[in-house]
Every structure is written in structure tokens, then in C-alpha cells.
């Protein structure tokens, strides 16, 4: 009986270790994804800043209100796409 209990305890411990390894791999994958997303965000912010600076320099040639409205509409379309994708999943 003691041997059976010991085998069960060892088996449970092995299962816990495998679960921890799986979680560790998932954490590493998520950290890499977060790092990539931060990089993409920084890049997008830089691009946006440069574009707004260009527009400001050419304010008499560009309708900034129109561009800003297009940006807001594009953001709304992206939000709606995400909602649709979440509903489909």
C-alpha cells in the first residue's frame, strides 16, 4: 500500500512539473509577444508623429480636420472588425 501511495505521489508530482513547464513556455511566449507589440506600438507612434509634423508644415495644403476624421473612422472600423472576430470565435 505504501508503495502504491508513493507511486501515486510521484505521478502527481510529475504531472505538476509538466504543467509548470507548459506554463513556463506559455509565459515566455507571451513575454516575446508583448515585446513585439511594444516595438510595433513604438514604431506606429513614431510614424504618426512624423506624419502629423509633415501635415503641420503643410497646413495650408492639407485639410487636417479631414485627415483626423479619416483616422478616427479607420480606428472605428478596426474596433468593429475586432468585435466581429471575437463574436465569430
Amino acid at each position: 500500500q505504501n508503495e502504491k501511495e508513493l507511486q501515486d505521489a510521484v505521478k502527481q508530482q510529475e504531472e505538476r512539473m509538466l504543467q509548470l513547464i507548459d506554463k513556463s513556455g506559455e509565459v515566455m511566449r507571451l513575454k516575446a509577444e508583448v515585446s513585439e507589440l511594444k516595438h510595433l506600438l513604438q514604431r506606429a507612434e513614431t510614424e504618426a508623429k512624423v506624419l502629423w509634423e509633415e501635415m503641420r508644415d503643410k497646413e495650408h495644403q492639407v485639410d487636417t480636420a479631414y485627415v483626423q476624421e479619416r483616422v478616427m473612422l479607420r480606428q472605428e472600423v478596426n474596433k468593429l472588425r475586432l468585435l466581429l472576430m471575437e463574436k465569430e470565435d
Side-chain angles (χ1 to χ4, degrees):
Q1 174 125 17
N2 284 342
E3 188 175 329
K4 173 76 171 136
E5 289 174 7
L6 184 59
Q7 287 176 347
D8 289 344
V10 168
K11 186 176 180 178
Q12 287 178 355
Q13 189 66 22
E14 287 174 351
E15 289 172 2
R16 283 190 208 119
M17 287 175 57
L18 288 175
Q19 288 174 348
L20 287 174
I21 290 170
D22 286 347
K23 288 180 183 176
S24 174
E26 179 72 7
V27 167
M28 288 173 49
R29 187 187 67 74
L30 289 172
K31 283 182 178 181
E33 188 176 338
V34 166
S35 177
E36 181 183 354
L37 289 171
K38 284 180 180 179
H39 173 73
L40 291 172
L41 176 61
Q42 186 177 20
R43 183 173 154 190
E45 287 173 340
T46 300
E47 288 175 3
K49 183 178 179 183
V50 169
L51 288 171
W52 280 112
E53 287 171 357
E54 283 293 315
M55 284 179 46
R56 200 175 315 122
D57 292 343
K58 300 175 183 176
E59 198 166 326
H60 60 282
Q61 298 172 354
V62 177
D63 183 359
T64 56
Y66 170 75
V67 173
Q68 199 166 16
E69 182 180 354
R70 285 199 55 201
V71 168
M72 288 178 6
L73 288 171
R74 182 69 55 110
Q75 289 172 338
E76 192 64 28
V77 167
N78 287 340
K79 277 194 250 179
L80 292 172
R81 276 195 188 123
L82 286 174
L83 287 172
L84 179 62
M85 287 172 32
E86 288 174 6
K87 292 288 183 188
E88 290 176 347
D89 289 344

